Amino acid sequence: MTQIQLSDAQLVILSAAAQRDDRNVLPLPGSLRGGAAQKVIGALLKRGLIAETVTDQLAKADPALNRIWRNDEDGCAILLHITDAGLAAIGFEPQQPVPDPAPKARTPRTGTKQAKLIEMLRAEGGATIGEIVAATGWQSHTVRGAMSGALKKKLGLTIASEKVEGRGRVYRIASD
């Protein structure tokens, strides 16, 4: 077998990715930024030691989080993962299969205010913002943010609302 020559930066990147559960190449070492990062990543991609993985996630590439390499033309996140060839190049033997890089569906913890919110929205008549505020102690903007962020975006639930005579706007989790 031919020995692959790797630079110090390439060795550091591949070794770090091999040790991560998700095999993500990012984040890169703090000293590797800009054009230097592009050059090193480009060389690893060209040699097939890492690969781009397109997700259905619409999250923007964010230098602060440094987990998403770039976005494709549709805005989908592109991650970088070490390949089997990359693992072999550094002499790493995987102990277990590499997990699917797609984001995992989250499930709410029981006994939390979020769980109470979900319970109220699944109840027969749904719930108003005022009723949720009274039950959770949150402010109304926090309730709306939790429904939009935690329930819709993170948990993938569909929230429906309608005006009910004598009650105002009532929110509920729409059945699939």
Side-chain angles (χ1 to χ4, degrees), residues 109-140:
R109 294 180 301 166
T110 58
T112 63
K113 290 182 181 180
Q114 185 182 75
K116 178 68 176 170
L117 171 62
I118 292 170
E119 178 186 327
M120 292 179 76
L121 295 176
R122 284 193 171 141
E124 178 70 26
T128 65
I129 298 287
E131 293 166 350
I132 298 168
V133 165
T136 62
W138 287 340
Q139 294 186 9
S140 59

Side-chain angles (χ1 to χ4, degrees), residues 30-103:
S31 60
L32 191 60
R33 295 284 176 245
Q38 293 283 341
K39 187 174 182 178
V40 172
I41 294 299
L44 290 170
L45 284 166
K46 185 177 178 180
R47 295 167 89 178
L49 302 177
I50 63 173
E52 292 183 333
T53 306
V54 180
T55 68
D56 57 357
Q57 195 177 354
L58 293 177
K60 294 284 184 201
D62 184 353
L65 296 176
N66 206 11
R67 300 292 290 166
I68 298 171
W69 176 240
R70 63 184 182 91
N71 295 98
D72 69 5
E73 58 278 351
D74 296 325
C76 292
I78 297 178
L79 308 177
L80 292 174
H81 288 88
I82 190 169
T83 63
D84 289 341
L87 292 170
I90 60 171
F92 187 84
E93 295 293 328
Q95 302 298 329
Q96 55 193 3
V98 177
D100 182 5

